[in-house]
Amino acid sequence: MARLSVRFDSASTSAVSLGRVVLASLAGSVVEWYDYFLYGTAAGLVFGELFFPSKDELTSLMASFATFAVAFFFRPFGAAFFGSLGDRIGRKAALMATLTLMGLATGLIGILPGAAAIGVFAPALLVFLRVLQGFALGGEWSGAILLALEHAPGERRAFYGSLPQIGPHLGFLLGLFAFEAVTAAFGETAFRQWAWRIPFLLGILGVPIGLWLRRGVGETPDFLAAQSEGRTQGSPLRKIASRDLGKLLAAVGIKLIETAPYFLYTTFLIGYGTKVLGIPRSDLFGALALGTVAAILVTPVYGKIADRPKRAVALFAVGAVIAVLYTPVFFTLVGKGSLGLYGATLFGLVVPSAMMSAVIGTLYARAFPPEYRYTGAAFGYHIGSALAGGTMPYVAAYLLSVSGGSFWTVSLYLAVLGSLSLVSLLVLRGGVSESAA
């Protein structure tokens, strides 16, 4: 079926306004991912003992990681709701709503009593607030990517589409620093008792800043053109189901290998490294901080390389293969002491993870037309995340538990995900063209 698309000259968007667009996209994304990743870090450090107390550390950790995974399964519902809002009403309206909801949920986690105070209501409420976080994030990612990408000149859309991908890295980095600063200021005991709440409460402060930035940004030219031509009427989900269901499934498939290794290198490592391997938290945080900073620096470079579709596909494929082959090396290096830990996280976050994350938004945008691009990108991203990202810490802990600590089980699991993703990439590749984005 022929695609309608909008091509416009770079002069149509001034450098000043495009800078504001990128800042609004990135700032809001940082706030949302900071809030979201706080939970993952706290799940690995304190939530197990506070909300899911058990005599066995690994059992408590697995219960905590299970709640971490819960939000991923509600992200597709957020994708459906906010995707429809973004495709029918506008990208801006959806992004304002996601940021507000995320801030509310995160702030409430910061004041939630533990199991010792209110019993089973504590984990129940924690799960509910985590669900709200997942629902909000279901509409954030694709909206932030499209806000930058659809405002950018056609020949530079991959580069600008990669910039919001710095947001998750910055959010994760800020979360790490927040926990470290609180621990340094109040001590380990206070951190585990009450001070862990401070980073969650601080997260609320970024919400009005993000809202202010996004309020000053106009709608994207792609959406306005689709709206003026009457293409934004009707359900985006029905359009996808009737026109591009195969591409949607392929979009889900490529996300599997993009997301699983990242959560292995970050969320799983924090919990498993401190609780099971006995690695000092300062070493873990230092290694993750270094890897994250490096990933921030290389992400725009990968985006620049991907300004042509064939390069985007090639970058993703190379990143997927490296991620699969690197898994046993990662586990081996982590067990080699501080130097190995730093090398393991640095390479993992900079090469396979950043390589794939920098271009996945561009691949999605080029596969779907503007009238259901928000929904298609959101569904592909978040269903894939639910299947392989949120479950990765739990699956890795389970596989290591039943195999007596053999990391080859985790390696085999990632190999299966990688194979599915590469097949999906071949399918999605047929929908990638210069004119689609």
Side-chain angles (χ1 to χ4, degrees):
M1 179 177 291
R3 297 286 191 215
L4 290 172
S5 64
V6 180
R7 301 301 301 269
F8 52 94
D9 188 82
S10 59
S12 64
T13 302
S14 70
V16 175
S17 63
L18 187 55
R20 173 67 180 257
V21 168
V22 171
L23 186 59
S25 173
L26 182 58
S29 183
V30 170
V31 172
E32 291 230 21
W33 284 101
Y34 166 83
D35 290 351
Y36 196 75
F37 279 136
L38 279 183
Y39 191 102
T41 305
L45 295 176
V46 296
F47 280 177
E49 59 191 80
L50 288 175
F51 294 98
F52 310 95
S54 172
K55 294 181 180 179
D56 179 62
E57 284 279 11
L58 191 56
T59 299
S60 182
L61 184 63
M62 287 175 64
S64 183
F65 281 153
T67 66
F68 175 77
V70 163
F72 284 76
F73 290 98
F74 282 86
R75 279 161 63 168
F77 292 99
F81 179 81
F82 293 112
S84 179
L85 182 65
D87 281 327
R88 299 179 67 180
I89 307 299
R91 305 345 188 183
K92 179 178 173 180
L95 288 172
M96 299 287 281
T98 61
L99 185 57
T100 302
L101 182 59
M102 178 67 82
L104 175 64
T106 302
L108 290 175
I109 290 175
I111 61 174
L112 183 64
I118 59 175
V120 296
F121 290 104
L125 289 172
L126 182 68
V127 170
F128 173 72
L129 293 175
R130 181 60 176 167
V131 165
L132 290 184
Q133 281 191 322
F135 188 80
L137 198 66
E140 167 64 25
W141 179 84
S142 57
I145 293 290
L146 296 183
L147 191 68
L149 185 146
E150 291 183 347
H151 271 287
E155 70 278 5
R156 302 200 67 194
R157 287 191 159 193
F159 170 74
Y160 281 101
S162 73
L163 297 181
Q165 286 293 70
I166 296 174
H169 293 305
L170 282 174
F172 179 71
L173 192 64
L174 289 174
L176 289 179
F177 282 140
F179 278 121
E180 277 296 276
V182 167
T183 304
F186 300 101
E188 184 69 30
T189 301
F191 173 80
R192 293 187 175 278
Q193 290 178 346
W194 60 270
W196 63 268
R197 302 176 183 276
I198 295 176
F200 284 88
L201 297 174
L202 289 176
I204 303 174
L205 301 179
V207 174
I209 298 174
L211 290 176
W212 175 74
L213 285 169
R214 289 181 170 178
R215 186 174 290 114
V217 172
E219 272 303 338
T220 71
D222 284 29
F223 173 80
L224 292 176
Q227 186 181 54
S228 67
E229 295 168 8
R231 291 184 281 133
T232 59
Q233 303 298 316
S235 169
L237 281 176
R238 290 181 180 176
K239 294 176 185 177
I240 293 175
S242 62
R243 304 177 193 175
D244 274 332
L245 184 58
K247 287 179 186 174
L248 179 63
L249 295 176
V252 172
I254 68 169
K255 180 61 181 173
L256 300 179
I257 195 60
E258 187 268 349
T259 189
Y262 179 82
F263 286 102
L264 180 69
Y265 306 148
T266 56
T267 303
F268 171 77
L269 182 60
I270 290 174
Y272 188 73
T274 56
K275 302 291 186 180
V276 181
L277 299 181
I279 299 174
R281 194 172 76 196
S282 59
D283 286 350
L284 277 171
F285 278 19
L288 288 170
L290 177 64
T292 302
V293 169
I296 290 170
L297 296 176
V298 301
T299 293
V301 177
Y302 290 139
K304 179 63 178 176
I305 294 172
D307 269 325
R308 294 186 64 85
K310 290 183 180 179
R311 294 178 185 175
V313 172
L315 272 175
F316 191 94
V318 170
V321 172
I322 293 175
V324 171
L325 298 177
Y326 179 62
T327 305
V329 180
F330 171 78
F331 277 100
T332 301
L333 289 175
V334 166
K336 295 292 185 181
S338 181
L339 185 61
L341 172 68
Y342 273 76
T345 54
L346 178 63
F347 184 88
L349 291 174
V350 168
V351 181
S353 291
M355 190 177 289
M356 290 185 286
S357 69
V359 301
I360 193 170
T362 298
L363 292 175
Y364 285 165
R366 287 171 174 164
F368 299 106
E371 58 265 32
Y372 53 85
R373 182 178 289 162
Y374 199 132
T375 302
F379 256 83
Y381 188 90
H382 293 297
I383 294 177
S385 293
L387 294 175
T391 59
M392 188 65 222
Y394 181 87
V395 169
Y398 173 78
L399 291 174
L400 290 173
S401 176
V402 299
S403 66
S406 173
F407 56 74
W408 289 104
T409 55
V410 182
S411 301
L412 179 60
Y413 176 70
L414 284 183
V416 173
L417 295 182
S419 299
L420 292 173
S421 291
L422 288 174
V423 171
S424 298
L425 184 64
L426 291 176
V427 175
L428 195 66
R429 181 182 180 182
V432 173
S433 64
E434 286 280 7
S435 62

